[in-house]
Amino acid sequence: MVLVDTSVLISFLKGQADEKVELFKDVLSRDIPYGISSYTYQEVLQGARNEAEFNTLKEYLATQQIYYLDPEVSTYEKAARIYFDLRRKGVTTRSTLDILIALTAIENKLALLHNDNDFDFMSDYIPELMVLNSL
């Protein structure tokens, strides 16, 4: 099962072609179960250029499997710990949401399909973060 990051989903929706979009197309063509995080849902919607696009994206996203994190405080403590531990190892991610997306993949035991170097840096130090680079 695959968690598709915002970086891939937006490129896919824009019709862009790159290695990760092609990998996502392979996931789709092989009917491999996939979904997005609630954070990707937000990021995609907030990037809409106008009301019509917002509504179109919202309709599309409503058809997707959405993965969530447990709303308990301990979940966000785990996310803070990941960020803290990475920073101590010299890795600073640009986005708190990337930490939460990575934790969503970890907690749901999903392989993360992304096109964002922050996740590659994270996966070097977090063995539980599975990154999808090929099928």
Side-chain angles (χ1 to χ4, degrees), residues 33-104:
Y34 74 93
I36 62 173
S37 74
S38 56
Y39 309 103
T40 293
Y41 181 92
Q42 175 188 340
E43 287 182 316
V44 170
L45 283 179
Q46 72 190 24
R49 293 176 293 197
N50 55 50
E51 191 71 31
E53 187 173 271
F54 186 93
N55 290 327
T56 299
L57 289 169
K58 185 176 168 186
E59 287 177 27
Y60 171 75
L61 293 172
T63 67
Q64 304 304 301
Q65 168 71 42
I66 299 177
Y67 292 94
Y68 299 90
L69 287 172
D70 189 321
E72 298 298 316
V73 169
S74 61
T75 298
Y76 300 95
E77 183 180 318
K78 285 180 198 174
R81 172 54 74 175
I82 289 170
Y83 187 91
F84 175 78
D85 288 345
L86 287 170
R87 196 179 70 226
R88 289 180 56 210
K89 294 173 182 172
V91 177
T92 302
T93 60
R94 295 172 289 160
S95 169
T96 297
L97 286 182
D98 285 351
I99 296 289
L100 294 170
I101 291 168
L103 186 57
T104 301

